[in-house]
Amino acid sequence: MDLRNLPDGLSPKERIAERRKRIEDECDCDLSLLEQRPSTIGHSDEKNCENMFGSMLIPVGYAGPLMVHFSSQKNMDVHLPLATTEGALVASVNRGCKALNSANGVHTSSVYHGISRSIAIKTSNAQRVTSNDIKERKDEWKTAAESTSNHLKILSYDIDETPDHIFLTINADTDEAMGMNMVTIAAQAVGNWIVDNIGGELITIAANVDSDKKPSKRTHEKGRGYEVTASATIPSDVITSILKSDPEAMMNVAKAKLEQGSDIAGALGANMHAANIIAALYLATGQDAAHVVEGSLTDTTITKIEDGLKISVRCPAILVGLRGGGTDLPAQRQCLDLLLQGNNRQHLAESIGAAVLAGEVSLLAAQAAHHLAKAHAALGR
Protein backbone atom coordinates (compact mmCIF):
# COMPACT_ATOMS: atom_id res chain seq x y z
CA MET A 1 0.00 0.00 0.00
CA ASP A 2 1.15 3.50 -0.79
CA LEU A 3 0.11 5.62 2.18
CA ARG A 4 2.54 8.46 1.54
CA ASN A 5 1.68 9.76 -1.92
CA LEU A 6 -1.58 11.55 -1.26
CA PRO A 7 -3.34 14.26 -3.31
CA ASP A 8 -2.13 17.79 -2.67
CA GLY A 9 -4.16 20.21 -0.61
CA LEU A 10 -5.77 17.71 1.75
CA SER A 11 -6.48 18.71 5.34
CA PRO A 12 -5.12 16.52 8.17
CA LYS A 13 -8.55 14.91 8.57
CA GLU A 14 -8.72 14.19 4.84
CA ARG A 15 -5.19 12.74 4.74
CA ILE A 16 -6.03 10.43 7.63
CA ALA A 17 -9.31 9.42 6.00
CA GLU A 18 -7.61 8.68 2.69
CA ARG A 19 -5.06 6.40 4.32
CA ARG A 20 -7.79 4.63 6.26
CA LYS A 21 -9.77 4.04 3.04
CA ARG A 22 -6.71 2.59 1.28
CA ILE A 23 -6.07 0.20 4.17
CA GLU A 24 -9.75 -0.82 4.30
CA ASP A 25 -9.76 -1.51 0.55
CA GLU A 26 -6.49 -3.46 0.62
CA CYS A 27 -7.30 -5.50 3.73
CA ASP A 28 -11.07 -5.79 3.23
CA CYS A 29 -11.83 -4.54 6.73
CA ASP A 30 -13.87 -1.89 8.51
CA LEU A 31 -11.86 0.79 10.34
CA SER A 32 -14.61 3.40 10.59
CA LEU A 33 -14.44 3.61 14.39
CA LEU A 34 -10.93 5.05 14.16
CA GLU A 35 -12.26 8.24 12.59
CA GLN A 36 -11.20 11.37 14.46
CA ARG A 37 -12.70 14.82 14.96
CA PRO A 38 -10.62 17.64 13.38
CA SER A 39 -10.43 19.44 16.74
CA THR A 40 -8.56 16.55 18.38
CA ILE A 41 -6.05 15.85 15.59
CA GLY A 42 -3.72 18.77 16.24
CA HIS A 43 -0.34 18.13 14.61
CA SER A 44 -0.41 14.38 15.23
CA ASP A 45 -0.51 13.53 11.51
CA GLU A 46 2.58 15.66 10.90
CA LYS A 47 4.64 15.32 14.09
CA ASN A 48 3.55 12.33 16.16
CA CYS A 49 2.56 9.40 13.98
CA GLU A 50 3.65 8.38 10.49
CA ASN A 51 1.05 6.90 8.12
CA MET A 52 -1.68 7.95 10.56
CA PHE A 53 -5.08 6.49 9.66
CA GLY A 54 -7.09 7.23 12.81
CA SER A 55 -7.00 7.27 16.56
CA MET A 56 -7.79 4.81 19.32
CA LEU A 57 -10.13 5.87 22.09
CA ILE A 58 -8.76 5.25 25.58
CA PRO A 59 -11.22 5.96 28.41
CA VAL A 60 -10.04 8.63 30.86
CA GLY A 61 -11.26 8.52 34.45
CA TYR A 62 -10.92 11.08 37.24
CA ALA A 63 -9.38 10.39 40.64
CA GLY A 64 -8.89 12.91 43.38
CA PRO A 65 -8.47 15.54 44.44
CA LEU A 66 -5.30 14.53 46.24
CA MET A 67 -3.69 16.92 48.72
CA VAL A 68 0.04 17.13 48.05
CA HIS A 69 2.68 18.97 50.07
CA PHE A 70 5.31 19.61 47.41
CA SER A 71 9.03 20.06 47.99
CA SER A 72 8.58 23.62 46.71
CA GLN A 73 6.62 24.28 49.93
CA LYS A 74 3.43 24.67 47.89
CA ASN A 75 0.40 22.74 49.15
CA MET A 76 -2.38 22.04 46.67
CA ASP A 77 -5.06 19.64 45.55
CA VAL A 78 -4.02 17.59 42.52
CA HIS A 79 -6.59 16.33 39.99
CA LEU A 80 -5.66 13.05 38.30
CA PRO A 81 -6.75 12.14 34.74
CA LEU A 82 -6.13 8.40 34.35
CA ALA A 83 -6.24 6.94 30.84
CA THR A 84 -6.89 3.22 31.18
CA THR A 85 -8.95 0.27 30.03
CA GLU A 86 -8.46 -1.62 33.30
CA GLY A 87 -11.62 -1.70 35.37
CA ALA A 88 -11.11 -0.98 39.10
CA LEU A 89 -7.93 1.07 38.62
CA VAL A 90 -9.51 4.53 38.80
CA ALA A 91 -11.75 3.50 41.69
CA SER A 92 -8.75 2.14 43.57
CA VAL A 93 -6.65 5.27 43.10
CA ASN A 94 -9.64 7.42 44.05
CA ARG A 95 -10.02 5.47 47.31
CA GLY A 96 -6.33 5.90 47.99
CA CYS A 97 -6.70 9.66 47.47
CA LYS A 98 -9.55 9.75 49.99
CA ALA A 99 -7.52 7.86 52.57
CA LEU A 100 -4.43 10.02 52.08
CA ASN A 101 -6.45 13.23 52.30
CA SER A 102 -7.83 12.03 55.62
CA ALA A 103 -4.24 11.43 56.74
CA ASN A 104 -3.16 15.02 56.02
CA GLY A 105 -2.10 14.37 52.44
CA VAL A 106 1.13 13.30 50.76
CA HIS A 107 4.58 14.82 51.25
CA THR A 108 6.79 14.72 48.18
CA SER A 109 10.40 15.44 47.29
CA SER A 110 12.46 14.97 44.16
CA VAL A 111 15.94 15.03 42.70
CA TYR A 112 16.44 15.89 39.04
CA HIS A 113 19.17 13.73 37.54
CA GLY A 114 18.53 14.86 33.98
CA ILE A 115 17.83 12.83 30.88
CA SER A 116 20.67 10.62 29.69
CA ARG A 117 22.26 9.13 26.61
CA SER A 118 25.23 6.77 26.52
CA ILE A 119 27.81 6.93 23.73
CA ALA A 120 29.93 3.92 22.78
CA ILE A 121 33.41 4.64 21.41
CA LYS A 122 35.50 1.72 20.13
CA THR A 123 39.13 2.01 21.09
CA SER A 124 41.93 0.95 18.77
CA ASN A 125 45.72 0.79 18.88
CA ALA A 126 46.01 3.30 16.08
CA GLN A 127 43.70 5.90 17.66
CA ARG A 128 43.72 5.03 21.32
CA VAL A 129 41.15 7.02 23.27
CA THR A 130 41.22 6.83 27.06
CA SER A 131 38.85 7.86 29.81
CA ASN A 132 41.43 10.40 30.98
CA ASP A 133 41.37 12.04 27.55
CA ILE A 134 37.60 12.43 27.81
CA LYS A 135 37.76 13.76 31.37
CA GLU A 136 40.54 16.24 30.60
CA ARG A 137 38.65 17.70 27.63
CA LYS A 138 35.19 17.64 29.17
CA ASP A 139 34.68 21.38 28.82
CA GLU A 140 35.18 21.12 25.07
CA TRP A 141 32.80 18.24 24.40
CA LYS A 142 30.25 19.77 26.78
CA THR A 143 30.38 22.92 24.67
CA ALA A 144 29.76 20.80 21.57
CA ALA A 145 26.73 19.24 23.26
CA GLU A 146 25.25 22.49 24.51
CA SER A 147 25.71 24.18 21.14
CA THR A 148 22.99 21.90 19.72
CA SER A 149 20.19 23.55 21.72
CA ASN A 150 19.49 26.70 23.71
CA HIS A 151 17.51 24.54 26.14
CA LEU A 152 20.11 21.87 26.96
CA LYS A 153 22.69 21.97 29.75
CA ILE A 154 25.02 19.09 30.67
CA LEU A 155 24.57 18.30 34.37
CA SER A 156 26.95 15.37 34.84
CA TYR A 157 28.53 12.43 33.10
CA ASP A 158 29.71 8.87 33.76
CA ILE A 159 32.42 6.84 32.07
CA ASP A 160 32.48 3.02 31.91
CA GLU A 161 35.09 0.90 30.18
CA THR A 162 35.36 -2.55 28.68
CA PRO A 163 38.47 -3.98 26.98
CA ASP A 164 37.44 -2.58 23.60
CA HIS A 165 34.93 0.22 24.29
CA ILE A 166 34.53 3.38 26.33
CA PHE A 167 30.96 4.32 27.27
CA LEU A 168 30.31 7.99 27.99
CA THR A 169 26.88 8.66 29.50
CA ILE A 170 25.80 12.30 29.52
CA ASN A 171 23.03 13.60 31.78
CA ALA A 172 21.35 16.80 30.67
CA ASP A 173 18.81 19.34 31.83
CA THR A 174 16.40 19.81 28.93
CA ASP A 175 14.28 22.66 30.29
CA GLU A 176 10.52 22.01 29.94
CA ALA A 177 10.89 19.09 27.51
CA MET A 178 11.30 15.48 28.60
CA GLY A 179 14.31 15.72 26.34
CA MET A 180 15.13 12.40 24.71
CA ASN A 181 15.29 13.92 21.22
CA MET A 182 17.31 16.85 22.52
CA VAL A 183 19.88 14.74 24.37
CA THR A 184 20.15 12.32 21.43
CA ILE A 185 21.13 15.17 19.11
CA ALA A 186 23.61 16.38 21.72
CA ALA A 187 25.06 12.87 22.09
CA GLN A 188 25.69 12.75 18.34
CA ALA A 189 27.60 16.01 18.56
CA VAL A 190 29.66 14.72 21.49
CA GLY A 191 30.44 11.43 19.78
CA ASN A 192 31.53 13.19 16.60
CA TRP A 193 33.67 15.64 18.57
CA ILE A 194 35.48 12.89 20.48
CA VAL A 195 36.30 10.94 17.32
CA ASP A 196 37.47 14.07 15.48
CA ASN A 197 39.51 15.50 18.34
CA ILE A 198 40.62 12.58 20.52
CA GLY A 199 40.26 9.40 18.50
CA GLY A 200 38.45 6.09 18.46
CA GLU A 201 35.48 4.95 16.40
CA LEU A 202 31.93 6.06 17.14
CA ILE A 203 29.82 2.91 17.37
CA THR A 204 26.47 4.25 18.64
CA ILE A 205 25.00 7.16 20.56
CA ALA A 206 22.43 4.89 22.26
CA ALA A 207 24.54 2.21 23.95
CA ASN A 208 22.11 0.99 26.65
CA VAL A 209 24.09 2.20 29.67
CA ASP A 210 21.42 4.91 29.93
CA SER A 211 18.82 2.08 29.89
CA ASP A 212 16.28 4.22 28.04
CA LYS A 213 12.92 2.39 28.13
CA LYS A 214 14.55 -0.66 29.69
CA PRO A 215 14.83 -1.87 33.29
CA SER A 216 18.30 -1.82 34.83
CA LYS A 217 20.03 -1.95 38.19
CA ARG A 218 21.77 1.32 37.35
CA THR A 219 18.54 3.25 36.88
CA HIS A 220 17.03 1.60 39.95
CA GLU A 221 20.00 2.64 42.07
CA LYS A 222 21.07 5.98 40.59
CA GLY A 223 17.84 7.36 39.16
CA ARG A 224 17.02 8.96 35.82
CA GLY A 225 14.94 12.00 35.00
CA TYR A 226 13.16 12.80 38.25
CA GLU A 227 13.74 10.59 41.28
CA VAL A 228 10.57 11.16 43.30
CA THR A 229 9.74 10.19 46.87
CA ALA A 230 6.20 10.40 48.25
CA SER A 231 5.19 9.48 51.78
CA ALA A 232 2.29 9.64 54.21
CA THR A 233 1.40 8.54 57.72
CA ILE A 234 -2.01 6.87 57.87
CA PRO A 235 -3.75 6.51 61.25
CA SER A 236 -5.42 3.25 62.18
CA ASP A 237 -8.91 4.78 62.11
CA VAL A 238 -8.43 5.86 58.47
CA ILE A 239 -7.21 2.37 57.58
CA THR A 240 -10.29 0.88 59.24
CA SER A 241 -12.96 3.32 58.05
CA ILE A 242 -11.81 4.12 54.48
CA LEU A 243 -9.47 1.32 53.47
CA LYS A 244 -11.57 -1.37 55.20
CA SER A 245 -8.48 -3.12 56.53
CA ASP A 246 -6.17 -3.03 59.54
CA PRO A 247 -2.48 -2.19 59.97
CA GLU A 248 -1.41 -5.70 60.95
CA ALA A 249 -2.97 -7.32 57.89
CA MET A 250 -1.41 -4.70 55.61
CA MET A 251 2.00 -5.31 57.17
CA ASN A 252 1.59 -9.03 56.57
CA VAL A 253 0.90 -8.45 52.87
CA ALA A 254 3.83 -6.04 52.63
CA LYS A 255 6.22 -8.59 54.11
CA ALA A 256 5.03 -11.44 51.89
CA LYS A 257 4.59 -9.50 48.66
CA LEU A 258 6.94 -6.53 48.71
CA GLU A 259 9.81 -8.15 50.58
CA GLN A 260 9.83 -11.92 50.10
CA GLY A 261 7.85 -12.31 46.88
CA SER A 262 9.82 -9.59 45.11
CA ASP A 263 13.09 -11.09 46.36
CA ILE A 264 12.20 -14.56 45.08
CA ALA A 265 11.41 -13.09 41.68
CA GLY A 266 14.59 -11.01 41.59
CA ALA A 267 12.42 -7.96 40.99
CA LEU A 268 13.93 -4.59 40.10
CA GLY A 269 11.43 -2.55 42.05
CA ALA A 270 9.30 -3.93 44.88
CA ASN A 271 5.87 -2.34 44.53
CA MET A 272 2.18 -3.17 44.34
CA HIS A 273 1.32 -1.84 40.87
CA ALA A 274 3.16 1.46 40.33
CA ALA A 275 3.27 0.99 36.55
CA ASN A 276 -0.54 1.03 36.43
CA ILE A 277 -0.76 4.59 37.71
CA ILE A 278 2.26 5.87 35.83
CA ALA A 279 1.00 4.42 32.55
CA ALA A 280 -2.46 5.94 33.01
CA LEU A 281 -1.05 9.40 33.74
CA TYR A 282 1.57 9.22 30.97
CA LEU A 283 -1.08 8.31 28.39
CA ALA A 284 -3.49 11.00 29.55
CA THR A 285 -0.89 13.79 29.55
CA GLY A 286 0.99 12.92 26.36
CA GLN A 287 4.18 11.54 27.88
CA ASP A 288 6.22 8.78 26.23
CA ALA A 289 4.37 5.68 27.42
CA ALA A 290 7.36 3.38 26.95
CA HIS A 291 9.05 5.06 29.92
CA VAL A 292 6.58 3.21 32.12
CA VAL A 293 9.26 0.49 32.09
CA GLU A 294 11.50 2.73 34.17
CA GLY A 295 8.59 3.83 36.34
CA SER A 296 8.03 0.19 37.25
CA LEU A 297 11.33 0.25 39.17
CA THR A 298 9.50 1.90 42.08
CA ASP A 299 10.05 0.64 45.64
CA THR A 300 7.24 0.79 48.19
CA THR A 301 8.08 0.73 51.90
CA ILE A 302 5.68 0.14 54.81
CA THR A 303 6.54 0.76 58.46
CA LYS A 304 4.35 0.08 61.49
CA ILE A 305 4.02 3.04 63.84
CA GLU A 306 2.23 3.43 67.15
CA ASP A 307 -1.16 4.24 65.66
CA GLY A 308 -1.14 3.22 62.03
CA LEU A 309 1.31 2.92 59.17
CA LYS A 310 3.91 5.02 57.45
CA ILE A 311 4.02 4.28 53.74
CA SER A 312 6.36 5.69 51.13
CA VAL A 313 7.31 5.17 47.52
CA ARG A 314 10.57 5.89 45.76
CA CYS A 315 10.15 6.26 42.03
CA PRO A 316 13.71 6.42 40.66
CA ALA A 317 12.78 7.37 37.11
CA ILE A 318 9.82 9.63 36.35
CA LEU A 319 10.43 10.98 32.85
CA VAL A 320 8.08 13.83 31.97
CA GLY A 321 7.90 17.01 29.94
CA LEU A 322 5.60 19.95 29.41
CA ARG A 323 6.56 20.58 25.80
CA GLY A 324 7.07 18.38 22.78
CA GLY A 325 5.95 14.87 21.91
CA GLY A 326 2.37 14.07 22.78
CA THR A 327 2.02 16.93 25.26
CA ASP A 328 1.08 19.30 22.44
CA LEU A 329 -1.87 17.21 21.22
CA PRO A 330 -5.18 18.91 22.05
CA ALA A 331 -6.77 16.34 24.37
CA GLN A 332 -3.51 15.49 26.10
CA ARG A 333 -2.80 19.19 26.65
CA GLN A 334 -6.16 19.61 28.38
CA CYS A 335 -5.43 16.69 30.71
CA LEU A 336 -1.94 18.03 31.37
CA ASP A 337 -3.38 21.43 32.26
CA LEU A 338 -5.91 19.77 34.57
CA LEU A 339 -3.15 17.97 36.43
CA LEU A 340 -0.56 20.74 36.36
CA GLN A 341 -2.74 23.75 37.28
CA GLY A 342 -0.09 26.16 36.00
CA ASN A 343 2.82 24.57 37.87
CA ASN A 344 6.18 23.39 36.55
CA ARG A 345 7.69 20.08 35.44
CA GLN A 346 8.95 19.22 38.91
CA HIS A 347 5.39 19.52 40.25
CA LEU A 348 4.22 17.19 37.50
CA ALA A 349 6.81 14.57 38.47
CA GLU A 350 5.99 14.85 42.16
CA SER A 351 2.24 14.70 41.42
CA ILE A 352 2.79 11.39 39.64
CA GLY A 353 4.74 10.09 42.63
CA ALA A 354 1.89 11.11 44.94
CA ALA A 355 -0.63 9.37 42.67
CA VAL A 356 1.50 6.22 42.75
CA LEU A 357 1.35 6.30 46.55
CA ALA A 358 -2.46 6.53 46.42
CA GLY A 359 -2.59 3.47 44.19
CA GLU A 360 -0.17 1.54 46.39
CA VAL A 361 -2.10 2.29 49.59
CA SER A 362 -5.41 1.23 48.12
CA LEU A 363 -4.21 -2.01 46.54
CA LEU A 364 -2.26 -2.99 49.65
CA ALA A 365 -5.42 -2.58 51.72
CA ALA A 366 -7.52 -4.49 49.17
CA GLN A 367 -5.14 -7.43 49.25
CA ALA A 368 -4.96 -7.36 53.03
CA ALA A 369 -8.77 -7.49 53.23
CA HIS A 370 -8.96 -10.09 50.42
CA HIS A 371 -11.09 -7.71 48.34
CA LEU A 372 -8.96 -7.74 45.18
CA ALA A 373 -10.92 -10.35 43.25
CA LYS A 374 -14.22 -8.95 44.51
CA ALA A 375 -13.36 -5.44 43.28
CA HIS A 376 -12.39 -6.68 39.82
CA ALA A 377 -15.54 -8.75 39.58
CA ALA A 378 -17.72 -5.81 40.55
CA LEU A 379 -15.96 -3.31 38.26
CA GLY A 380 -15.82 -5.22 35.03
CA ARG A 381 -13.28 -8.03 35.44
PDB file of all heavy atoms in Angstrom, residues 249-265:
ATOM      1  N   ALA A 249      -2.755  -6.569  59.130  1.00  0.00           N
ATOM      2  CA  ALA A 249      -2.972  -7.320  57.886  1.00  0.00           C
ATOM      3  C   ALA A 249      -2.200  -6.699  56.730  1.00  0.00           C
ATOM      4  O   ALA A 249      -1.630  -7.412  55.882  1.00  0.00           O
ATOM      5  CB  ALA A 249      -4.458  -7.371  57.563  1.00  0.00           C
ATOM      6  N   MET A 250      -2.154  -5.373  56.675  1.00  0.00           N
ATOM      7  CA  MET A 250      -1.411  -4.702  55.607  1.00  0.00           C
ATOM      8  C   MET A 250       0.087  -4.959  55.745  1.00  0.00           C
ATOM      9  O   MET A 250       0.787  -5.143  54.738  1.00  0.00           O
ATOM     10  CB  MET A 250      -1.729  -3.211  55.612  1.00  0.00           C
ATOM     11  CG  MET A 250      -3.169  -2.911  55.168  1.00  0.00           C
ATOM     12  SD  MET A 250      -3.641  -1.164  55.307  1.00  0.00           S
ATOM     13  CE  MET A 250      -2.627  -0.397  54.038  1.00  0.00           C
ATOM     14  N   MET A 251       0.589  -4.993  56.960  1.00  0.00           N
ATOM     15  CA  MET A 251       1.997  -5.306  57.171  1.00  0.00           C
ATOM     16  C   MET A 251       2.312  -6.732  56.739  1.00  0.00           C
ATOM     17  O   MET A 251       3.372  -7.009  56.168  1.00  0.00           O
ATOM     18  CB  MET A 251       2.361  -5.123  58.645  1.00  0.00           C
ATOM     19  CG  MET A 251       2.508  -3.680  59.080  1.00  0.00           C
ATOM     20  SD  MET A 251       3.843  -2.788  58.250  1.00  0.00           S
ATOM     21  CE  MET A 251       5.274  -3.758  58.717  1.00  0.00           C
ATOM     22  N   ASN A 252       1.381  -7.645  56.978  1.00  0.00           N
ATOM     23  CA  ASN A 252       1.586  -9.033  56.566  1.00  0.00           C
ATOM     24  C   ASN A 252       1.695  -9.155  55.045  1.00  0.00           C
ATOM     25  O   ASN A 252       2.540  -9.897  54.524  1.00  0.00           O
ATOM     26  CB  ASN A 252       0.444  -9.910  57.081  1.00  0.00           C
ATOM     27  CG  ASN A 252       0.500 -10.121  58.582  1.00  0.00           C
ATOM     28  OD1 ASN A 252       1.549  -9.968  59.198  1.00  0.00           O
ATOM     29  ND2 ASN A 252      -0.636 -10.468  59.176  1.00  0.00           N
ATOM     30  N   VAL A 253       0.832  -8.429  54.334  1.00  0.00           N
ATOM     31  CA  VAL A 253       0.904  -8.446  52.868  1.00  0.00           C
ATOM     32  C   VAL A 253       2.213  -7.830  52.400  1.00  0.00           C
ATOM     33  O   VAL A 253       2.873  -8.337  51.487  1.00  0.00           O
ATOM     34  CB  VAL A 253      -0.300  -7.712  52.251  1.00  0.00           C
ATOM     35  CG1 VAL A 253      -0.120  -7.558  50.744  1.00  0.00           C
ATOM     36  CG2 VAL A 253      -1.593  -8.456  52.546  1.00  0.00           C
ATOM     37  N   ALA A 254       2.597  -6.719  53.021  1.00  0.00           N
ATOM     38  CA  ALA A 254       3.829  -6.041  52.629  1.00  0.00           C
ATOM     39  C   ALA A 254       5.038  -6.960  52.789  1.00  0.00           C
ATOM     40  O   ALA A 254       5.918  -7.009  51.915  1.00  0.00           O
ATOM     41  CB  ALA A 254       4.017  -4.770  53.450  1.00  0.00           C
ATOM     42  N   LYS A 255       5.079  -7.691  53.881  1.00  0.00           N
ATOM     43  CA  LYS A 255       6.216  -8.594  54.109  1.00  0.00           C
ATOM     44  C   LYS A 255       6.248  -9.708  53.079  1.00  0.00           C
ATOM     45  O   LYS A 255       7.307 -10.018  52.507  1.00  0.00           O
ATOM     46  CB  LYS A 255       6.139  -9.184  55.512  1.00  0.00           C
ATOM     47  CG  LYS A 255       7.300 -10.122  55.835  1.00  0.00           C
ATOM     48  CD  LYS A 255       7.245 -10.634  57.273  1.00  0.00           C
ATOM     49  CE  LYS A 255       8.433 -11.535  57.578  1.00  0.00           C
ATOM     50  NZ  LYS A 255       8.401 -12.029  58.970  1.00  0.00           N
ATOM     51  N   ALA A 256       5.073 -10.313  52.829  1.00  0.00           N
ATOM     52  CA  ALA A 256       5.032 -11.435  51.886  1.00  0.00           C
ATOM     53  C   ALA A 256       5.254 -10.985  50.455  1.00  0.00           C
ATOM     54  O   ALA A 256       6.040 -11.587  49.720  1.00  0.00           O
ATOM     55  CB  ALA A 256       3.685 -12.157  52.011  1.00  0.00           C
ATOM     56  N   LYS A 257       4.564  -9.907  50.069  1.00  0.00           N
ATOM     57  CA  LYS A 257       4.589  -9.498  48.660  1.00  0.00           C
ATOM     58  C   LYS A 257       5.794  -8.625  48.335  1.00  0.00           C
ATOM     59  O   LYS A 257       6.586  -8.943  47.434  1.00  0.00           O
ATOM     60  CB  LYS A 257       3.308  -8.748  48.322  1.00  0.00           C
ATOM     61  CG  LYS A 257       3.270  -8.213  46.887  1.00  0.00           C
ATOM     62  CD  LYS A 257       1.904  -7.722  46.484  1.00  0.00           C
ATOM     63  CE  LYS A 257       1.934  -7.239  45.042  1.00  0.00           C
ATOM     64  NZ  LYS A 257       0.602  -7.290  44.412  1.00  0.00           N
ATOM     65  N   LEU A 258       5.920  -7.506  49.063  1.00  0.00           N
ATOM     66  CA  LEU A 258       6.943  -6.532  48.707  1.00  0.00           C
ATOM     67  C   LEU A 258       8.345  -7.014  49.056  1.00  0.00           C
ATOM     68  O   LEU A 258       9.290  -6.751  48.306  1.00  0.00           O
ATOM     69  CB  LEU A 258       6.661  -5.203  49.410  1.00  0.00           C
ATOM     70  CG  LEU A 258       5.350  -4.518  49.019  1.00  0.00           C
ATOM     71  CD1 LEU A 258       5.145  -3.245  49.827  1.00  0.00           C
ATOM     72  CD2 LEU A 258       5.320  -4.207  47.527  1.00  0.00           C
ATOM     73  N   GLU A 259       8.480  -7.708  50.168  1.00  0.00           N
ATOM     74  CA  GLU A 259       9.813  -8.154  50.576  1.00  0.00           C
ATOM     75  C   GLU A 259      10.145  -9.535  50.000  1.00  0.00           C
ATOM     76  O   GLU A 259      11.027  -9.670  49.153  1.00  0.00           O
ATOM     77  CB  GLU A 259       9.907  -8.187  52.103  1.00  0.00           C
ATOM     78  CG  GLU A 259       9.783  -6.818  52.755  1.00  0.00           C
ATOM     79  CD  GLU A 259       9.869  -6.891  54.262  1.00  0.00           C
ATOM     80  OE1 GLU A 259      10.395  -7.887  54.791  1.00  0.00           O
ATOM     81  OE2 GLU A 259       9.393  -5.943  54.927  1.00  0.00           O
ATOM     82  N   GLN A 260       9.432 -10.556  50.443  1.00  0.00           N
ATOM     83  CA  GLN A 260       9.827 -11.923  50.098  1.00  0.00           C
ATOM     84  C   GLN A 260       9.459 -12.297  48.665  1.00  0.00           C
ATOM     85  O   GLN A 260      10.273 -12.885  47.943  1.00  0.00           O
ATOM     86  CB  GLN A 260       9.205 -12.897  51.104  1.00  0.00           C
ATOM     87  CG  GLN A 260       9.709 -12.664  52.532  1.00  0.00           C
ATOM     88  CD  GLN A 260       9.115 -13.614  53.548  1.00  0.00           C
ATOM     89  OE1 GLN A 260       8.366 -14.533  53.204  1.00  0.00           O
ATOM     90  NE2 GLN A 260       9.435 -13.417  54.814  1.00  0.00           N
ATOM     91  N   GLY A 261       8.252 -11.974  48.243  1.00  0.00           N
ATOM     92  CA  GLY A 261       7.848 -12.309  46.880  1.00  0.00           C
ATOM     93  C   GLY A 261       8.711 -11.627  45.844  1.00  0.00           C
ATOM     94  O   GLY A 261       9.151 -12.239  44.859  1.00  0.00           O
ATOM     95  N   SER A 262       8.980 -10.328  46.055  1.00  0.00           N
ATOM     96  CA  SER A 262       9.824  -9.585  45.114  1.00  0.00           C
ATOM     97  C   SER A 262      11.245 -10.135  45.103  1.00  0.00           C
ATOM     98  O   SER A 262      11.887 -10.207  44.043  1.00  0.00           O
ATOM     99  CB  SER A 262       9.845  -8.103  45.492  1.00  0.00           C
ATOM    100  OG  SER A 262       8.563  -7.528  45.351  1.00  0.00           O
ATOM    101  N   ASP A 263      11.732 -10.538  46.276  1.00  0.00           N
ATOM    102  CA  ASP A 263      13.087 -11.088  46.363  1.00  0.00           C
ATOM    103  C   ASP A 263      13.202 -12.417  45.627  1.00  0.00           C
ATOM    104  O   ASP A 263      14.175 -12.660  44.907  1.00  0.00           O
ATOM    105  CB  ASP A 263      13.475 -11.260  47.830  1.00  0.00           C
ATOM    106  CG  ASP A 263      14.908 -11.743  47.984  1.00  0.00           C
ATOM    107  OD1 ASP A 263      15.826 -11.017  47.556  1.00  0.00           O
ATOM    108  OD2 ASP A 263      15.111 -12.849  48.512  1.00  0.00           O
ATOM    109  N   ILE A 264      12.192 -13.272  45.789  1.00  0.00           N
ATOM    110  CA  ILE A 264      12.203 -14.559  45.082  1.00  0.00           C
ATOM    111  C   ILE A 264      12.242 -14.346  43.577  1.00  0.00           C
ATOM    112  O   ILE A 264      12.956 -15.043  42.841  1.00  0.00           O
ATOM    113  CB  ILE A 264      10.978 -15.402  45.481  1.00  0.00           C
ATOM    114  CG1 ILE A 264      11.098 -15.858  46.938  1.00  0.00           C
ATOM    115  CG2 ILE A 264      10.810 -16.606  44.557  1.00  0.00           C
ATOM    116  CD1 ILE A 264       9.828 -16.456  47.494  1.00  0.00           C
ATOM    117  N   ALA A 265      11.480 -13.363  43.113  1.00  0.00           N
ATOM    118  CA  ALA A 265      11.408 -13.092  41.675  1.00  0.00           C
ATOM    119  C   ALA A 265      12.631 -12.374  41.133  1.00  0.00           C
ATOM    120  O   ALA A 265      12.830 -12.306  39.923  1.00  0.00           O
ATOM    121  CB  ALA A 265      10.160 -12.253  41.371  1.00  0.00           C
TER     122      ALA A 265
END
